[in-house]
Amino acid sequence: MMGNHMELRFDALPQNEAFARVTVAAFAVQLCPTLPEMADLKTAVSEAVTNAIVHGYRNEGGTVTMTASFGEDRLLTVSIRDEGCGIRDVEAAMQPFYSTGDGTERSGMGFCVMQTFMDHVEVDSAPGLGTTVTMRKHILGEAGLHRERMLDEIG
């Protein structure tokens, strides 16, 4: 399998969260992911884009850049970048229930959700410079899932 790469820039508007989710799904379909793998990917991207819009830009607009790529190893890498306010303490922000909001509308579980559904999540951020969330997931796909089941039965 040959690798592939895409980049998409869109306005930081709430309605574009669904656009990003569907776009990354259309890109990932080349890897023939299982339905659970696809759901995991879409959920993680949804969380990352929502964080950029709500926390990075504080719902005041900006541009979100999403890139996605994979190689022959079937490792899908998705990055979501904003040029918003940035995160002062990334380690604290990645803890459950952390939120920059007043706590009435947000659960503070965005990074935890991303970490649950992806194999690896990395956050690079600096105050005033924005945030990049890079997520990776090996996509086994239907063929890989079948192969794993066969190996389980044999061994």
Side-chain angles (χ1 to χ4, degrees):
M1 169 181 283
M2 212 168 119
N4 202 355
H5 175 84
M6 72 97 179
E7 181 172 308
L8 176 68
R9 293 173 53 88
F10 52 91
D11 290 339
L13 300 171
Q15 58 267 35
N16 284 339
E17 174 271 324
F19 174 64
R21 187 176 63 239
V22 169
T23 301
V24 80
F27 181 79
V29 80
Q30 301 167 68
L31 294 168
C32 299
T34 63
L35 289 176
E37 287 173 331
M38 185 65 84
D40 290 353
L41 174 62
K42 289 167 57 177
T43 300
V45 166
S46 179
E47 290 293 330
V49 171
T50 297
N51 276 359
I53 295 166
V54 172
H55 300 292
Y57 290 118
R58 297 189 171 121
N59 288 314
E60 294 179 6
T63 301
V64 177
T65 302
M66 179 173 70
T67 61
S69 62
F70 61 85
E72 292 181 22
D73 59 358
R74 302 179 66 84
L75 178 64
L76 178 65
T77 301
V78 179
S79 293
I80 307 296
R81 166 113 181 105
D82 69 67
E83 296 175 359
C85 65
I87 302 170
R88 233 180 263 297
D89 186 345
V90 172
E91 187 176 329
M94 294 187 76
Q95 297 303 310
F97 308 113
Y98 177 91
S99 180
T100 59
D102 62 9
T104 59
E105 292 185 32
R106 302 286 169 194
S107 68
M109 297 297 288
F111 287 127
C112 291
V113 169
M114 290 177 235
Q115 290 171 319
T116 298
F117 292 115
M118 300 297 280
D119 296 336
H120 179 77
V121 176
E122 179 182 318
V123 180
D124 182 30
S125 188
L129 298 177
T131 301
T132 302
V133 176
T134 303
M135 304 175 287
R136 293 182 178 84
K137 185 173 188 72
H138 278 99
I139 304 295
L140 294 175
E142 292 296 336
L145 186 61
H146 179 70
R147 186 172 47 253
E148 277 193 352
R149 285 182 187 146
M150 294 291 288
L151 290 173
D152 284 347
E153 289 176 13
I154 293 170

